[in-house]
Amino acid sequence: MNLAVDINWGIPIAIFVINVVYVTLNTIRMMLTMKGYQTVAPFVAMVEVAIYVVGLGLVLDNLDNVINVVIYAVGFGVGIYAGMKIEDKLALGHILVTTIMPENGWEIAEEIRGNGFGVTISQAYGREGNRFVLEILTPRSNERSLYKLIHQIEPRAFIISYEPKYINGGFWTKRMKTNKRQVRDNPQESPFSEE
């Protein structure tokens, strides 16, 4: 008995595609929900659940074939991977990057500001002496370019990043829409000068 001849490959392919689309939307919807996109997430959820019902119905109607269940599981894994990749490309939200510099903190902060980033600087004391702590808030879409810039300026920098849940006041409230050119054209003499 030839297995390839006895299987209607249309159903397993449909199960796979439907499950990839469903789980991809599920992953994106969860990311949107966690980041507070309250108007988009419910719409994505409606589309997601409609696709889920169709896909689950196909699997339940064809449980007599183990290949359909395996294809469903593989589609689930591929959907999670695809959803994470899409969310990474969308780069929703902001990150706060804390960078600890061993020296030249003021000059490094000005150089980072000159590239369009808002920087708050403070002094700290670590195991090996005085340090400079730079706090940089940026859209996630600029995350990789910021890391690259920091490493170019100071390869010994210690970097930690995380996603803030709430942002209010300061540089970002006033200049959220400001582009790199505007920041370069309006440098401040001191990082602590009043506007």
Side-chain angles (χ1 to χ4, degrees), residues 77-122:
V78 171
I80 294 239
Y81 180 79
M84 290 186 322
K85 286 298 188 183
I86 290 170
E87 196 282 330
D88 192 46
K89 293 291 182 200
L90 291 174
L92 302 171
H94 293 81
I95 60 162
L96 181 62
V97 177
T98 300
T99 306
I100 301 173
M101 301 285 184
E103 54 195 31
N104 302 325
W106 301 107
E107 293 86 9
I108 292 170
E110 285 302 319
E111 190 168 345
I112 293 171
R113 284 184 185 111
N115 281 275
F117 296 98
V119 181
T120 299
I121 186 168
S122 58

Side-chain angles (χ1 to χ4, degrees), residues 128-144:
E128 297 177 4
N130 289 326
R131 296 288 181 256
F132 295 92
V133 179
L134 281 60
E135 300 280 351
I136 309 159
L137 182 68
T138 187
R140 276 193 52 227
S141 58
N142 295 337
E143 181 177 9
R144 284 181 176 67

Side-chain angles (χ1 to χ4, degrees), residues 9 15 34 39 45 53 78 88 91 99 104 106 111 119 124 128 139 144 157-158 169 176 184 186 192:
W9 285 101
I15 289 170
M34 290 181 347
T39 55
V53 169
V78 171
D88 192 46
T99 306
N104 302 325
W106 301 107
E111 190 168 345
V119 181
E128 297 177 4
R144 284 181 176 67
F158 177 72
M176 190 65 85
R184 280 194 190 134
N186 299 311
F192 299 110

